[in-house]
Amino acid sequence: MAVRVSAPARLHFGFCNLSLAHERLYGSLGVALAEPRTVVTAEPADRVVCDHPTAREYAERVVSLFDVQGARVTVESELPRHVGLGSGTQLALAVLAAIARAHDREPRVRERAPALGRGGRSGVGVAGFEAGGFVLDAGHPTERFTVDAPDRGSWTVPAVAAREPVPDDWRFVLALPDADPGRHGDAEETSMRTVVEDADPGVADAIAGLVVRRVLPAAAEGDWGRFGRAVAELGRLNGKWYADEQGGVYRPPAGAVVDSLRASPAVSGAGQSSWGPAVYAVTDATHAAEARLAARNALDDAGCDGRVRVVRPDNAGARVEPNPNS
């Protein structure tokens, strides 16, 4: 049958530990967003037919994984590429789920994501696809770290250590500067390995206390003010690890946008998602209009063009349904 998959974006607030001195490595935190979304359709075919180059590569791998003849795959919409919203993982998993369901197979995205090169370091994108919400993943035992990048498919996706539904009245402000894409692919892999080999373990100790005493309680109690301040501090601490690789605690021009946006009383905290350039802040429905204006002004103050959105959280994950246009 023809299938349509709609997958949420995600924010990546940072990692719990990047130092080889501690017994667990990575452990990421993030949240699924209701918008923007990746939307993919698929139907059985006698070969892979897809006009989107990246989606076609994923489709070829998925067809091989399921040992089926082929699929006609269409990307109806996708996230902005490499800005910090999880575009690669959501596209890969949407293609996987669409083709699997089109052939009446179980996607089992957590099990099969590694074969598509996804979910090796951070598990937030996979967990967000599965069920949405705020997620803390468990990371990996540090003993598994190797100087050379592991072969695709040789890892497992980090387990979910904590998940909380995000209150319906929370909003996330997105400021997307018109800037070069964040690091990805081989460049990201090289940068991350450099960071891990040099990371100060003391930063991880500070983050551990922050997560236990501030982030998780605020998420559990639904307090957007405390949550926003806590994840923004987590991002700032992560930036100490990345400063040499990205040109500061935040990469330019994200740092200038963060500095301006976090001064607004309409938001709580502000930070950079993943490698940026996307900047986020936390607010609620009551303050959404004021927060949108603050983000617009923050881009202007930073001297850059860009887009602003205020979006709801996603507590459901990807939607898989029959394609109504087939």
Side-chain angles (χ1 to χ4, degrees):
M1 65 177 179
V3 173
R4 185 174 187 264
V5 176
S6 175
R10 65 96 177 103
L11 292 175
H12 192 282
F13 298 130
F15 290 102
C16 291
N17 174 49
L18 294 181
S19 170
L20 296 173
H22 292 305
E23 67 181 58
R24 291 200 75 85
L25 195 61
Y26 309 125
S28 54
L29 300 93
V31 67
L33 305 176
E35 297 175 338
R37 300 187 76 85
T38 295
V39 180
V40 172
T41 63
E43 59 184 334
D46 59 5
R47 57 191 176 90
V48 171
V49 180
C50 182
D51 293 334
H52 189 292
T54 306
R56 181 183 175 84
E57 290 181 15
Y58 288 134
E60 295 279 7
R61 295 182 202 170
V62 172
V63 164
S64 177
L65 283 173
F66 287 103
D67 193 23
V68 296
Q69 194 168 12
R72 184 178 300 275
V73 176
T74 302
V75 179
E76 293 186 357
S77 65
E78 61 180 318
L79 306 176
R81 301 278 290 167
H82 309 307
V83 302
L85 298 180
S87 60
T89 295
Q90 299 312 304
L91 180 60
L93 300 185
V95 170
L96 168 64
I99 294 177
R101 291 300 189 187
H103 287 276
D104 197 26
R105 306 291 181 86
E106 286 292 331
R108 299 210 300 269
V109 294
R110 179 167 290 271
E111 174 187 327
R112 295 188 169 109
L116 301 180
R118 315 310 306 182
R121 187 174 293 113
S122 168
V124 168
V126 174
F129 186 95
E130 290 176 317
F134 163 73
V135 174
L136 164 66
D137 76 55
H140 295 286
T142 303
E143 63 193 27
R144 295 181 186 171
F145 179 82
T146 58
V147 175
D148 297 324
D151 294 334
R152 188 179 68 214
S154 64
W155 59 81
T156 57
V157 178
V160 173
R163 187 198 304 269
E164 291 287 344
V166 181
D168 291 339
D169 67 336
W170 283 23
R171 298 292 183 269
F172 294 89
V173 186
L174 303 180
L176 305 176
D178 289 342
D180 291 339
R183 298 194 183 188
H184 58 280
D186 291 342
E188 179 185 18
E189 191 69 36
T190 298
S191 291
M192 283 300 302
R193 290 182 176 280
T194 299
V195 169
V196 167
E197 289 169 359
D198 297 334
D200 177 3
V203 174
D205 294 334
I207 289 173
L210 176 66
V211 170
V212 172
R213 291 191 290 269
R214 294 178 58 190
V215 177
L216 292 179
E221 294 176 352
D223 187 324
W224 68 268
R226 289 195 295 133
F227 181 84
R229 291 188 292 273
V231 295
E233 175 64 10
L234 184 141
R236 187 189 68 80
L237 289 169
N238 268 250
K240 291 185 175 182
W241 283 323
Y242 299 127
D244 290 342
E245 289 296 310
Q246 66 179 8
V249 171
Y250 309 103
R251 59 156 287 191
V257 179
V258 168
D259 287 344
S260 178
L261 181 54
R262 69 184 175 189
S264 169
V267 306
S268 178
Q272 172 182 304
S273 181
S274 189
W275 289 100
V279 169
Y280 69 85
V282 187
T283 187
D284 68 353
T286 303
H287 298 87
E290 187 180 351
R292 183 190 303 274
L293 179 59
R296 182 71 265 166
N297 290 339
L299 288 173
D300 291 341
D301 291 345
C304 57
D305 295 328
R307 293 158 289 166
V308 170
R309 302 184 72 161
V310 179
V311 302
R312 297 171 181 266
D314 184 293
N315 288 312
R319 300 193 295 265
V320 182
E321 57 193 8
N323 182 13
N325 300 319
S326 62

